[in-house]
Amino acid sequence: MKYEKPQLPYANDALEPVISARTVEFHYGKHEQAYIDNLNRLIKDSEYEDAELEDVIANAKGALFNNASQAWNHIFYFFSFSPDGRREPTGDLRKAIDRDFGSFEKFKEAFVDAGVGLFGSGWVWLSRDETGKLFITQGSNAQNPITDGLMPLLTFDVWEHAYYLDYQNRRADALKKLWDIVDWETVEGRY
Ligand code: MN
């Protein structure tokens, strides 16, 4: 199977001023394209050639894992945003957030703290287990909670390439601003 980069459901400048058009062009346009091109090159003639991408992530190692996971993670990340989505969780996900983190405000604080506290490149994740319990986890480099049997709900990219053009070294500022563009209707759909 040959993977293709899906078109974003919004214009490159639609997330400004939180994420600039230039960052979307480089991050989703060029970085993500490179991961997908590498994935297609590495998966060809491998045992995973016809596997679902989630299965590749769960089972592959080394460069194939890294590029498969990065390809998936960036699509998941960019499709969590919208210029005009719902800005707070509701329903069962809201209840689970209140139950497991105390409140939505406390959840946001803990999520950003986990992203800021991750040394080097990686991702911070909100995931659920099979019972619906929520977890905030840090993942270095391409790591994805699928490999731990969790179902991802939301992620923030904390690689420098995600924010350096717009925020330089200010990772905490970059992460806090992302709350202004998260589309909680999409996140709830994953729960
Ligand atoms: Mn990235």
Side-chain angles (χ1 to χ4, degrees):
M1 174 160 47
K2 193 171 187 304
Y3 292 96
E4 289 183 18
K5 184 160 61 76
Q7 175 105 34
L8 292 176
Y10 46 78
N12 283 353
D13 64 358
L15 304 179
E16 292 192 341
V18 178
I19 300 177
S20 68
R22 194 153 179 267
T23 289
V24 174
E25 282 158 20
F26 274 93
H27 194 190
Y28 195 70
K30 295 186 190 296
H31 285 279
E32 172 66 346
Q33 190 62 55
Y35 292 127
I36 288 177
D37 291 347
N38 286 334
L39 167 63
N40 282 325
R41 184 171 50 77
L42 292 163
I43 207 166
K44 196 170 179 309
D45 302 325
S46 80
E47 62 183 298
Y48 298 104
E49 185 153 18
D50 298 315
E52 293 296 322
L53 191 50
E54 286 81 359
D55 293 330
V56 182
I57 294 167
N59 297 296
K61 305 281 180 238
L64 179 54
F65 166 78
N66 285 333
N67 285 282
S69 196
Q70 286 293 82
W72 191 100
N73 293 354
H74 283 92
I75 294 166
F76 193 77
Y77 171 74
F78 277 101
F79 277 76
S80 302
F81 301 132
S82 83
D84 51 13
R86 179 142 32 80
R87 298 301 177 223
E88 289 206 11
T90 60
D92 289 344
L93 178 58
R94 179 59 174 253
K95 284 184 200 142
I97 286 173
D98 290 344
R99 181 193 66 210
D100 293 338
F101 303 110
S103 69
F104 181 48
E105 286 307 312
K106 284 184 183 158
F107 156 72
K108 287 195 289 184
E109 206 172 300
F111 195 79
V112 167
D113 283 351
V116 171
L118 192 155
F119 185 80
S121 296
W123 303 80
V124 56
W125 295 91
L126 173 68
S127 304
R128 54 161 286 182
D129 69 8
E130 58 203 11
T131 72
K133 182 173 166 48
L134 300 176
F135 299 87
I136 294 172
T137 56
Q138 300 170 317
S140 289
N141 300 319
Q143 200 273 334
N144 181 304
I146 290 174
T147 58
D148 299 318
L150 294 172
M151 181 189 291
L153 303 174
L154 177 69
T155 190
F156 286 178
D157 187 342
V158 301
W159 287 59
E160 279 189 348
H161 69 220
Y163 57 85
Y164 210 83
L165 290 176
D166 300 330
Y167 298 87
Q168 294 76 51
N169 60 325
R170 292 175 287 117
R171 185 191 284 186
D173 291 347
L175 297 185
K176 282 181 201 156
K177 290 298 284 179
L178 292 178
W179 298 125
D180 293 348
I181 55 171
V182 171
D183 180 2
W184 282 96
E185 205 170 336
T186 296
V187 180
E188 278 169 43
R190 297 165 174 166
Y191 187 70

